[in-house]
Amino acid sequence: MKVLIVGANGKVGTLLCGQMWAANGFSPIALIREARQQTKFTALGVPSAVGGLEKGLVEFLPGLDAVVFTAGSGARTGPGKTIDVDQNAAIRLMDDCSQSSVRRFIMISAIGSDPLSDSPRIQNYLRAKGVADERLRSSGLDYTILAPGTLSNEPGSGKIQAAESLGCHGTLPREDLSRCVIEVLRNYNSVGKTIQIISGQESIKSAIADAAGGAALPPIL
Ligand SMILES: NC(=O)c1ccc[n+]([C@@H]2O[C@H](COP(=O)([O-])OP(=O)(O)OC[C@H]3O[C@@H](n4cnc5c(N)ncnc54)[C@H](OP(=O)(O)O)[C@@H]3O)[C@@H](O)[C@H]2O)c1
């Protein structure tokens, strides 16, 4: 499965590239913003391509089986940049995938993402993510939205709690989130699903299968 990882130079993106390269059946391509970021991916053995999300990525899409959106403007940029990247650039990428017949789209969202979020702390971010998620749900693409709790850089445990609506918040190591991305790509039952994830007691494979409503159904390529 040829997968473009958008936001590959980020913390989740980098872990995902390495894990996907080592996993059977995947051929990741790291989408990065600057040529100097290529060194890390060359060392990992992962091919990379330089492109800007806001300029459009349509030239990179032909021949892909899936796209993973794990980019984010980050907490240090202003609210306008969050709308530009987390919302509008994500939506543009969905439209480009539809036009280019790349059907499978994995979105890294967040617990609490909602176009009407009234979060006192990160309302702008959760609204931007929520608008992008809503658009993805009506896009006609074979999407899966993964909505983690607060991400940490702790080593992954391989054990999670996952459900369409967990009813609670929590944390999740980035290493486990990237493993979840690979698992949903392996399980076609996850298409059309939004899955909230925090650390828990169940293996990733089993928790994703439960949340997706069925054991691993191989992807259609
Ligand atoms: N932090 C949390 O607790 C949390 C919780 C839930 C969900 N999330 C979501 O999880 C995802 C991954 O998080 P992370 O910790 O891996 O984030 P990260 O380390 O900040 O990585 C974000 C990546 O997005 C890239 N990016 C930013 N603007 C871009 C643009 N205009 N065009 C192309 N790429 C752009 C950055 O590129 P450069 O490296 O070139 O700057 C960076 O590689 C994000 O979508 C985030 O919103 C985070």
Side-chain angles (χ1 to χ4, degrees):
M1 188 187 289
K2 202 169 169 188
V3 185
L4 186 71
I5 299 168
V6 178
N9 192 54
K11 294 182 276 303
V12 172
T14 300
L15 288 165
L16 180 58
C17 284
Q19 289 174 8
M20 214 179 250
W21 191 247
N24 274 340
F26 290 97
S27 178
I29 301 161
L31 196 284
I32 53 180
R33 284 201 282 184
E34 296 174 35
R36 65 183 171 83
Q37 296 168 340
Q38 263 169 334
T39 320
K40 178 166 73 177
F41 298 97
T42 306
L44 280 173
V46 174
S48 54
V50 180
L53 196 45
E54 288 157 281
K55 289 189 193 125
L57 300 177
V58 74
E59 67 190 282
F60 301 101
L61 301 180
L64 293 177
D65 298 303
V67 164
V68 178
F69 185 95
T70 185
S73 64
R76 284 190 301 265
T77 57
K81 205 65 182 164
T82 305
I83 304 289
D84 288 347
V85 175
D86 300 59
Q87 179 181 304
N88 295 340
I91 290 171
R92 179 176 177 168
L93 182 58
M94 294 166 203
D95 292 344
D96 287 344
C97 283
S98 296
Q99 297 285 328
S100 308
S101 304
V102 180
R103 299 212 47 76
R104 194 75 172 100
F105 196 113
I106 312 299
M107 169 64 86
I108 305 300
S109 185
I111 290 180
S113 73
D114 180 343
L116 302 175
S117 170
D118 59 3
S119 162
R121 209 169 48 84
I122 49 171
Q123 184 183 104
N124 184 61
Y125 168 75
L126 291 175
R127 286 187 175 190
K129 286 292 226 188
V131 171
D133 289 354
E134 286 290 287
R135 180 63 176 270
L136 186 54
R137 291 186 186 102
S138 62
S139 66
L141 292 170
D142 291 345
Y143 73 86
T144 304
I145 297 171
L146 294 180
T150 303
L151 298 176
S152 79
N153 295 324
E154 302 296 311
S157 67
K159 299 287 173 77
I160 60 166
Q161 203 181 325
E164 189 175 346
S165 180
L166 285 170
C168 61
H169 212 284
T171 61
L172 181 71
R174 287 178 169 86
E175 203 171 77
D176 283 337
L177 175 58
S178 50
R179 288 186 186 132
C180 290
V181 173
I182 292 174
E183 190 54 35
V184 295
L185 282 168
R186 283 182 170 142
N187 188 342
Y188 200 70
N189 281 315
S190 67
V191 168
K193 306 277 168 38
T194 298
I195 304 176
Q196 297 186 344
I197 311 165
I198 58 175
S199 289
Q201 299 300 323
E202 202 176 348
S203 75
I204 287 173
K205 189 180 176 77
S206 152
I208 293 293
D210 287 348
L217 183 67
I220 301 164
L221 297 180

